[in-house]
Amino acid sequence: MLSASREHRRGYTRLTGQDAAFLSFEGPGRPMHIGALAFVSNNGWLDETGDLDTNRLRDTIADRAGAVPGLDRVLHSAPLTGWPLWISDPAIDWEAQVQILPAASHEAEVREIAEKAMATPLDRSRPLWRVVIMPGAPGSSRFALAFLAHHSLVDGIAGIDLLAQLLDRHDTLPARAPHHRPPSRNQLLADELIRVVEVPRNIANAALGAVTNQRRRRRLVRRATALVRTAVRLLTPGPTTLLRGENEGTRSVSWFSVEDRPLRLARQRLNGTPNDLVMAAVASAINSMPGKRSPLHFRKLRAAIPVSFRTRAERYNLGNRIGLQIVPLDPKNGNLGRAVAEIHKQTLIQKHRGDAEGYEVLTQLTAWLGRWSQRLLHWLAGKVHSYGILITNVPGPSRSYTLGGASIEEIYPLVPLFGSQSLSVAVVRYGGYLRVGVTSSWGDAALVDTFTQNLQQAFAQIALAPKDAMEPAGAPVPMRQGEARA
């Protein structure tokens, strides 16, 4: 097959199965882009009249975006197969990718803008990312920035790295990234024909390698087993609760911060990972929500947890390298210590078996079978409702970012909704705090506010939760190379 590097030299990049899946999952009322909301100090960005110098700010961000490899990509389709391709566009209007809005007089207006941005799909005729500048009210000490990038372009870790490249530069503005000459249609058609012809040979080589090489055989068995477990979980129906519903149309968002130090102490006391504590807090918050007739029950409720497979060498690469764990959520009747222990036990079992690899294998198979298989997968997820909520916990930077010397005070992640999901929670550590973003398709904003308040309270309770009456969760399992704790 044509390697990714060879494709890049030929002026295009073929999307991986994972990247293309996020395009297939999208619909007119179901956007699939990741968002981040940042609040930035005005220091150094005011003009002579004391207003935010939005034109200079836009030009700075546009120039930096032009130096990031891959942000000049525009979607195209391969002839014959229709598979999506990234092709660089040398005529991009970088300034048009940065939108300037009127001043937002209070946080409620910022929330309305963020909700509209998360509910509106990105224009596929342009690069699939956008930056929105929201000046503060006159006399305000800071302004807001919204970053939007399609999930086919970045996963959570790649999104954080992209923010660093757009914002956190202390040197002079970098040069524009070099553009590759776009391929002709005949060249694309020839490459697709070669790919189709080579597929049987590549499958045969992989099978032969598994037969003759013990290490490859063990890896094949492990990944095949993980695929079966993932398929079973995805096809196992979950309960009908408040978390299940149509996610087309509007979006409601909210965000808040939690001091990280008390939670670090709680992790040591409760013998849990950062993600275990986040899942236990979400379980507690959901358990306090009213259902249609009664509180949500947890007999079959599960959470989808993305797991990163990026190696150090793959940092700052665009695209997706993620697996998926599907973890039961059980609040243990309000005993948060026991809830953390049970969640920790379940995640350790899945990590030890390598279950998260099953989703990666599944999306690789869809790349062979075609986009119809991805649409079928998403249709089944919506009908079966195998998990009730997506929870992603992305490692944040070790230091605070700046923009032209101005402090970036807060960053909140926002993630899309999948299938028939009605709620997603995203967490990133930044500036000594957990920055928590909530995305929902609930039409009632009061319901989202109630969940957000419950989640804040749950984090406060976990910080004080005792370890009593907990079952030992076992020794930590070493992570394989390339796997990061999400």
Side-chain angles (χ1 to χ4, degrees):
M1 279 191 178
L2 292 173
S3 67
S5 60
R6 181 181 168 191
E7 285 179 345
H8 189 62
R9 287 195 302 270
R10 294 172 72 88
Y12 73 96
T13 302
R14 186 183 177 89
L15 273 69
T16 65
Q18 276 198 6
D19 297 345
F22 292 118
L23 290 174
S24 293
F25 294 168
E26 188 170 60
R30 193 191 319 113
M32 290 302 300
H33 53 264
I34 296 174
L37 188 63
F39 293 94
V40 188
S41 168
N42 279 343
N43 184 33
W45 289 105
L46 301 180
D47 58 20
E48 295 80 2
T49 65
D51 295 327
L52 183 68
D53 194 341
T54 53
N55 289 332
R56 181 163 61 93
L57 181 60
R58 178 193 58 202
D59 293 344
T60 299
I61 295 175
D63 283 339
R64 292 178 177 180
V68 178
L71 288 190
D72 60 348
R73 296 172 174 175
V74 177
L75 271 177
H76 291 262
S77 296
L80 189 65
T81 63
W83 191 261
L85 310 172
W86 293 121
I87 297 182
S88 297
D89 182 0
I92 288 176
D93 184 352
W94 295 98
E95 286 73 21
Q97 294 296 114
V98 184
Q99 182 181 7
I100 302 173
L101 297 183
S105 58
H106 46 78
E107 193 169 285
E109 290 189 17
V110 175
R111 180 176 178 177
E112 292 175 2
I113 294 169
E115 289 176 338
K116 183 177 180 181
M118 290 302 294
T120 306
L122 297 173
D123 183 355
R124 293 197 178 189
S125 67
R126 298 168 56 181
L128 292 183
W129 62 271
R130 186 158 56 96
V131 179
V132 180
I133 300 173
M134 294 169 274
S140 174
S141 62
R142 65 181 191 171
F143 61 96
L145 293 173
F147 300 86
L148 309 172
H150 201 280
H151 213 326
S152 62
L153 189 67
V154 296
D155 56 23
I157 291 180
I160 291 294
D161 290 342
L162 178 58
L163 283 182
Q165 295 178 84
L166 289 177
L167 300 181
D168 196 45
R169 291 186 183 274
H170 301 281
D171 52 4
T172 57
L173 292 177
R176 297 278 188 187
H179 289 288
H180 295 270
R181 185 177 180 179
S184 67
R185 181 171 179 81
N186 288 339
Q187 177 187 329
L188 292 176
L189 180 59
D191 287 348
E192 285 300 294
L193 290 173
I194 293 173
R195 184 179 297 276
V196 170
V197 170
E198 289 185 342
V199 163
R201 187 189 69 182
N202 292 326
I203 294 175
N205 288 340
L208 180 62
V211 171
T212 58
N213 187 295
Q214 185 177 9
R215 182 178 178 183
R216 289 185 182 182
R217 185 164 60 250
R218 286 199 302 265
R219 183 173 185 269
L220 178 62
V221 171
R222 186 185 73 244
R223 288 170 67 84
T225 305
L227 172 63
V228 171
R229 291 196 182 100
T230 297
V232 169
R233 290 192 179 101
L234 290 176
L235 294 176
T236 301
T240 300
T241 68
L242 193 65
L243 299 178
R244 183 173 185 171
E246 295 297 328
N247 64 19
E248 301 277 350
T250 61
R251 292 290 181 267
S252 298
V253 304
S254 61
W255 58 85
F256 63 91
S257 296
V258 181
E259 190 176 357
D260 187 35
R261 187 174 183 277
L263 294 176
R264 290 203 309 269
L265 298 176
R267 293 200 300 268
Q268 298 172 6
R269 184 173 65 253
L270 302 178
N271 189 31
T273 67
N275 216 32
D276 297 335
L277 268 63
V278 171
M279 283 190 281
V282 171
S284 177
I286 295 174
N287 196 45
S288 302
M289 297 291 292
K292 293 181 178 179
R293 297 182 179 177
S294 61
L296 294 173
H297 57 286
F298 278 76
R299 185 172 62 87
K300 294 183 179 179
L301 186 59
R302 296 178 289 268
I305 312 297
V307 176
S308 176
F309 290 137
R310 284 181 182 269
T311 63
R312 291 183 180 275
E314 292 171 328
R315 291 297 299 266
Y316 298 101
N317 289 353
L318 298 180
N320 291 265
R321 280 291 332 266
I322 55 176
L324 193 69
Q325 290 184 343
I326 300 180
V327 182
L329 290 184
D330 188 344
K332 292 296 183 183
N333 296 321
N335 188 319
L336 290 170
R338 290 182 180 178
V340 171
E342 180 61 27
I343 290 171
H344 186 61
K345 175 183 175 182
Q346 295 293 331
T347 55
L348 274 181
I349 291 172
Q350 293 194 34
K351 287 178 181 177
H352 180 69
R353 296 187 309 206
D355 287 3
E357 293 184 56
Y359 177 74
E360 186 179 47
V361 177
L362 184 61
T363 54
Q364 288 173 347
L365 288 177
T366 64
W368 282 356
L369 297 174
R371 300 192 68 187
W372 66 268
S373 60
Q374 296 175 332
R375 297 188 184 99
L376 175 63
L377 178 64
H378 190 258
W379 179 81
L380 287 173
K383 293 296 182 182
V384 175
H385 193 68
S386 53
Y387 58 88
I389 186 169
L390 178 87
I391 305 172
T392 178
N393 187 0
V394 180
S398 58
R399 58 179 175 79
S400 296
Y401 290 158
T402 60
L403 176 56
S407 173
I408 301 174
E409 299 171 352
E410 303 168 39
I411 297 176
Y412 298 97
L414 299 170
V415 295
L417 304 173
F418 298 79
S420 56
Q421 243 187 284
S422 297
L423 189 67
S424 291
V425 175
V427 178
V428 65
R429 280 164 182 77
Y430 181 78
Y433 288 83
L434 261 67
R435 311 292 183 174
V436 184
V438 177
T439 308
S440 175
S441 61
W442 289 332
D444 186 357
L447 203 58
V448 180
D449 291 339
T450 299
F451 172 78
T452 303
Q453 293 165 9
N454 290 348
L455 189 54
Q456 285 182 281
Q457 185 178 7
F459 276 118
Q461 292 171 345
I462 282 182
L464 303 174
K467 188 182 178 180
D468 59 326
M470 286 177 54
E471 294 293 333
V477 176
M479 292 182 293
R480 296 180 304 280
Q481 181 181 4
E483 181 175 350
R485 292 186 185 274

